[in-house]
Amino acid sequence: MTASAVVAAIGAYAKINAAGEWIDRTETTSMNDLFERMSSQELEAYAQTGALPGWFEGTVGATAIDSQERLIVDI
């Protein structure tokens, strides 16, 4: 048994729900819908400072910077 086989087995196990069904999880968020929900004050603040309302970031979730993933940029 190799390390890659163990990792593949863990990945497969994570996609099986309690009923034994294979579930491929996907999540999509329409950024246009979220911007349409913003009030004129929130849109103005975003245009001037780039600040998003708390509910916006909570809806979208963590970004690569906020999450445990590392953001890699080639310079």
Side-chain angles (χ1 to χ4, degrees), residues 11-42:
Y13 182 72
K15 293 183 177 188
I16 299 173
N17 68 10
E21 301 167 325
W22 186 272
I23 304 294
D24 281 321
R25 292 173 176 84
T26 59
E27 184 176 329
T28 58
T29 303
S30 171
M31 298 303 285
N32 291 333
D33 291 344
L34 294 175
F35 276 106
E36 288 175 5
R37 285 181 46 196
M38 291 173 70
S39 68
S40 57
Q41 292 85 9
E42 291 169 334

Side-chain angles (χ1 to χ4, degrees), residues 47-72:
Q48 290 181 356
T49 66
L52 291 168
W55 66 262
F56 190 101
E57 294 176 7
T59 302
V60 174
T63 63
I65 294 170
D66 296 329
S67 69
Q68 294 177 356
E69 297 176 18
R70 240 181 49 200
L71 180 62
I72 299 173

